[in-house]
Amino acid sequence: MQYRNLRIFYKILLLNLALILLFTGFTWLGVGHFLRLYDQQLYQKTMQVIAQFSSGVETDLKQVESFSLSIMLDPDIQEELGEMQKGTGAYEQLVQAGKLQAKLSIQSMTQKNLSAINYIDNAGKVIAQGDNLLESDSAEQVRALLKRAKAAQGGYVFSEPNIQNEQFFSAREIIQYQNLSLKSMGTLLLSYDLKGIVESNEKKIQDTDTQLLLYADNRMIFRSQNGKSVAKPAAQNGYRIQTINGEKYFVVTVKSDYLGWVYVSVLPYDTTFQQNILIRDFLIAAALLLLAVSCFFSFRIARNITKPLEDLTNSMKQVETGCFDKVKADLYDYRRGDEVGILQKDFLLMVERINQLIKQNYEKQLAIQETKYKALQSQINPHFLYNTLSSISWLAKVGRGDEVSNMVLSLSNLLRASVNEQTVIFLEEEVDLLKNYLHIQKMRYTDRICFSVHIAPQYLDLVVPKMILQPVVENAILYGAENMLGVCKISVWVQDAGENCQLCVRDNGPDIPQQQLKALNAFQYVPHGTGIGLKNIQERLQLLFGAAYGLHVQSGNGQTTVCMTLPKKGA
């Protein structure tokens, strides 16, 4: 009998049996491949563990070197040491030593696992933050390190620790770089808790079976709790199976390029591969169970698959037209316990999930839009902050306390507005923020800028995005006052535009070249500074009010005007 003449029941049954046999074959191949992958992943995992551990330790030790360099190059410390080198009286020397010790104390607060900081001047006098290392049990080791630091002439040196004394000593001769004298100003000596450094990185490793060891010049300097000792670490990076106290261990060795230390990972061999065997048996049992279940359900599918598949096909066609509710009504009462029933239920879940995803995607887009808007409005020019703080510092030094107070108040108002979660404010509030900004700028430019506001009372309650005037006025100052010898006149006003209105800022600075003006209005011009560009304001206006609103720049005849179109009714 030909296959095409068989009943649909037998066609489906034979097809299912063929697929089951094919699936079984691929399952056996997959199990073998999985076990090989598991062995490879075991090696890779162990390498990753030791690499993570060594990288963390190396990073912390590099930070020790960087910290000693930062102390040597610190201008305040250089100045204090320079004063101490002048050989003033005993009382002045004592005061200067106290100041230096205070600065070293502040520096030490930034360092984890730092045990002590010692400064030894050229006469051998010690200023210590923490223990005096020259009077510790490791004094001989420290003195040898100091000789090496002198020979290094400003270079970084360290001494190899040992497992009995888990302190990491490093030193650097402090060289006076001011006026390029390059003369010695003493030696900086640091002591770190190596055990704390290593254990803090060891805690990051999740595998509790892995034991870690650390060697320097074939001497063990660290061993994790209950770690197995490896008599001699391998000379090259790699792994090997080693028997320790009658038990097999998987040993991985990695040599550091920075300090030349050797990091060793020891993993129980039998425990690891016992898990491999259990996984293999589980996969085989799961495959056999799946084979039996597939054979059982193949008979059920052969008898009952036609009608439910037709119903499912009709439901899919309804989904194509967007009739999701109709699908639920058609399939809800049709309950089955086989694969077709599961497929129907999964299809219903999929339809419901599609509805949820449509809603979630809409909400997500709203959230993204709001997040983007908040990110845009929170930008503030760091150079403005720097210049403002520099001006405050200058005024404080010359004793102009009232002006310092006013500038600090204006700056605090601007910063409070920038971190406020409020996205829109009234135009009257925006003008007040602008006046705070201009008060600060007047301290820098004095009479070089002249500012005026002409806003009718009916426009003061307009709703505007927060801090949109300040960046426009900042650009007027940057490209106007900075590039002209006379007074830069800046005016702000609101003009009627039918159903909308326009908030305008004009300055009498140099004209913008036509090519640059075209790029500005197309929002393709990339600003050279770090402040808020016009594109930022355009995006904020359109995010808040819609694509029909935004700004436009005009420049010519010695005047540059920026107009922002706003709705009269607000957002």
Side-chain angles (χ1 to χ4, degrees):
M1 183 180 294
Q2 295 182 353
Y3 176 78
R4 63 182 180 180
N5 295 326
L6 292 175
R7 292 172 53 190
I8 296 178
F9 170 83
Y10 294 110
K11 288 181 179 180
I12 297 176
L13 182 59
L14 290 175
L15 179 60
N16 284 341
L17 289 176
L19 292 175
I20 289 171
L21 291 176
L22 184 63
F23 174 78
T24 303
F26 277 111
T27 300
W28 284 111
L29 293 175
V31 169
H33 180 65
F34 175 82
L35 294 178
R36 289 191 296 271
L37 286 178
Y38 181 85
D39 293 343
Q40 295 175 3
Q41 289 178 356
L42 173 63
Y43 301 147
Q44 294 174 359
K45 176 186 176 183
T46 308
M47 290 296 293
Q48 289 174 356
V49 168
I50 191 67
Q52 178 186 2
F53 173 70
S54 62
S55 175
V57 174
E58 295 290 331
T59 300
D60 290 344
L61 293 180
K62 288 178 181 178
Q63 290 177 354
V64 173
E65 180 178 358
S66 300
F67 177 66
S68 68
L69 181 62
S70 68
I71 291 180
M72 184 185 77
L73 299 179
D74 188 287
D76 293 337
I77 293 180
Q78 284 273 329
E79 182 179 354
E80 291 294 337
L81 293 179
E83 293 295 327
M84 294 176 66
Q85 297 290 320
K86 293 180 180 179
T88 54
Y91 175 76
E92 288 79 7
Q93 289 281 338
L94 183 62
V95 172
Q96 290 165 357
K99 291 181 178 179
L100 178 61
Q101 188 174 24
K103 293 183 184 298
L104 294 177
S105 176
I106 294 174
Q107 293 278 2
S108 66
M109 294 179 183
T110 65
Q111 297 293 303
K112 282 183 63 176
N113 302 307
L114 177 62
S115 302
I117 303 180
N118 285 189
Y119 164 74
I120 301 96
D121 64 15
N122 293 327
K125 182 180 178 181
V126 179
I127 297 177
Q129 177 61 33
D131 296 334
N132 187 339
L133 299 179
L134 290 177
E135 298 177 358
S136 66
D137 296 337
S138 304
E140 183 177 350
Q141 181 182 3
V142 170
R143 289 189 178 90
L145 181 62
L146 292 175
K147 291 181 180 179
R148 290 172 53 202
K150 284 289 184 182
Q153 297 181 348
Y156 176 76
V157 296
F158 63 92
S159 64
E160 300 287 355
N162 54 68
I163 199 168
Q164 288 78 23
N165 181 15
E166 296 174 333
Q167 290 293 317
F168 180 81
F169 299 110
S170 63
R172 185 190 295 271
E173 185 178 25
I174 300 178
I175 302 298
Q176 186 177 30
Y177 65 85
Q178 295 179 347
N179 300 323
L180 298 179
S181 65
L182 302 181
K183 67 178 183 179
S184 174
M185 303 176 70
T187 305
L188 178 68
L189 182 62
L190 304 176
S191 174
Y192 279 79
D193 180 13
L194 179 63
K195 182 178 180 181
I197 293 176
V198 175
E199 288 183 347
S200 65
N201 288 279
E202 185 184 18
K203 291 178 181 178
K204 301 176 183 177
I205 301 174
Q206 301 298 324
D207 191 350
T208 56
D209 292 333
T210 301
Q211 303 168 2
L212 299 171
L213 303 95
L214 182 57
Y215 289 82
D217 294 335
N218 291 325
R219 293 182 297 104
M220 183 186 299
I221 61 175
F222 175 78
R223 178 174 61 189
S224 60
Q225 189 175 8
N226 299 324
K228 303 295 181 182
S229 299
V230 179
K232 185 178 180 181
Q236 298 179 348
N237 294 350
Y239 64 89
R240 68 183 188 272
I241 307 299
Q242 183 173 344
T243 301
I244 304 175
N245 297 330
E247 297 180 5
K248 287 185 177 181
Y249 290 89
F250 185 73
V251 181
V252 177
T253 303
V254 174
K255 187 173 182 179
S256 162
D257 294 330
Y258 176 57
L259 299 177
W261 292 355
V262 178
Y263 298 83
V264 180
S265 171
V266 181
L267 191 66
Y269 183 86
D270 294 337
T271 303
T272 303
F273 282 90
Q274 184 179 5
Q275 295 176 356
N276 192 351
I277 295 172
L278 292 175
I279 292 174
R280 181 195 63 189
D281 293 342
F282 173 79
L283 290 176
I284 293 174
L288 293 175
L289 179 61
L290 183 60
L291 176 62
V293 172
S294 299
C295 290
F296 171 77
F297 279 106
S298 64
F299 290 94
R300 297 288 301 272
I301 293 172
R303 293 189 182 96
N304 302 296
I305 198 171
T306 304
K307 180 63 170 61
L309 282 180
E310 290 177 355
D311 294 341
L312 191 57
T313 302
N314 293 331
S315 298
M316 289 180 178
K317 291 180 180 179
Q318 292 174 355
V319 169
E320 291 179 359
T321 62
C323 300
F324 296 101
D325 295 333
K326 179 67 174 172
V327 171
K328 294 182 179 181
D330 289 345
L331 292 181
Y332 182 79
D333 293 329
Y334 199 91
R335 299 178 181 177
R336 299 176 59 94
D338 56 10
E339 285 86 345
V340 177
I342 295 174
L343 185 60
Q344 290 174 335
K345 294 176 183 178
D346 289 344
F347 179 72
L348 285 175
L349 291 175
M350 182 189 71
V351 172
E352 184 177 353
R353 182 59 177 162
I354 290 174
N355 273 324
Q356 293 176 354
L357 287 175
I358 292 173
K359 181 180 179 182
Q360 289 175 2
N361 184 61
Y362 177 76
E363 294 175 348
K364 182 179 180 181
Q365 291 301 320
L366 291 178
I368 291 174
Q369 188 180 46
E370 181 179 356
T371 302
K372 183 178 179 181
Y373 179 82
K374 289 183 178 179
L376 289 173
Q377 76 163 22
S378 64
Q379 299 181 39
I380 191 164
N381 193 327
H383 291 299
F384 167 69
L385 288 177
Y386 175 80
N387 292 332
T388 301
L389 294 175
S390 297
S391 299
I392 292 174
S393 175
W394 178 81
L395 289 173
K397 289 180 180 179
V398 299
R400 294 163 66 177
D402 292 340
E403 296 181 14
V404 169
S405 176
N406 292 333
M407 285 191 70
V408 170
L409 180 60
S410 297
L411 180 60
S412 66
N413 290 336
L414 288 176
L415 293 177
R416 187 183 303 110
S418 67
V419 300
N420 195 315
E421 294 184 357
Q422 201 174 2
T423 59
V424 294
I425 58 177
F426 293 115
L427 180 57
E428 184 177 9
E429 297 174 292
E430 179 67 15
V431 171
D432 290 339
L433 291 175
L434 180 60
K435 290 179 179 178
N436 282 296
Y437 170 78
L438 285 169
H439 174 75
I440 294 173
Q441 292 291 40
K442 286 285 286 184
M443 297 303 303
R444 180 182 177 188
Y445 293 94
T446 61
D447 295 332
R448 290 181 58 195
I449 59 174
C450 178
F451 175 71
S452 62
V453 179
H454 302 284
I455 299 177
Q458 65 268 25
Y459 295 121
L460 292 177
D461 60 350
L462 281 176
V463 176
V464 298
K466 182 176 60 178
M467 295 186 74
I468 61 168
L469 280 176
Q470 180 260 329
V472 178
V473 173
E474 183 178 10
N475 284 339
I477 295 174
L478 178 63
Y479 298 105
E482 292 284 358
N483 296 313
M484 60 186 297
L485 297 177
V487 177
C488 179
K489 297 179 180 180
I490 303 172
S491 57
V492 179
W493 76 94
V494 176
Q495 61 188 21
D496 189 87
E499 295 183 356
N500 302 316
C501 58
Q502 290 184 329
L503 177 59
C504 302
V505 178
R506 175 178 293 165
D507 67 84
N508 62 339
D511 293 345
I512 301 174
Q514 288 301 314
Q515 185 175 1
Q516 182 177 340
L517 181 63
K518 183 178 180 181
L520 280 173
N521 283 315
F523 302 102
Q524 297 174 349
Y525 178 74
V526 179
H528 300 293
T530 58
I532 301 175
L534 296 181
K535 184 178 180 181
N536 176 296
I537 301 174
Q538 172 77 357
E539 291 176 349
R540 290 170 60 190
L541 289 172
Q542 292 190 344
L543 280 173
L544 188 61
F545 300 124
Y549 299 90
L551 60 83
H552 183 75
V553 183
Q554 296 177 340
S555 184
N557 300 322
Q559 289 186 336
T560 298
T561 306
V562 178
C563 289
M564 292 167 277
T565 303
L566 305 169
K568 291 182 179 179
K569 297 181 179 179

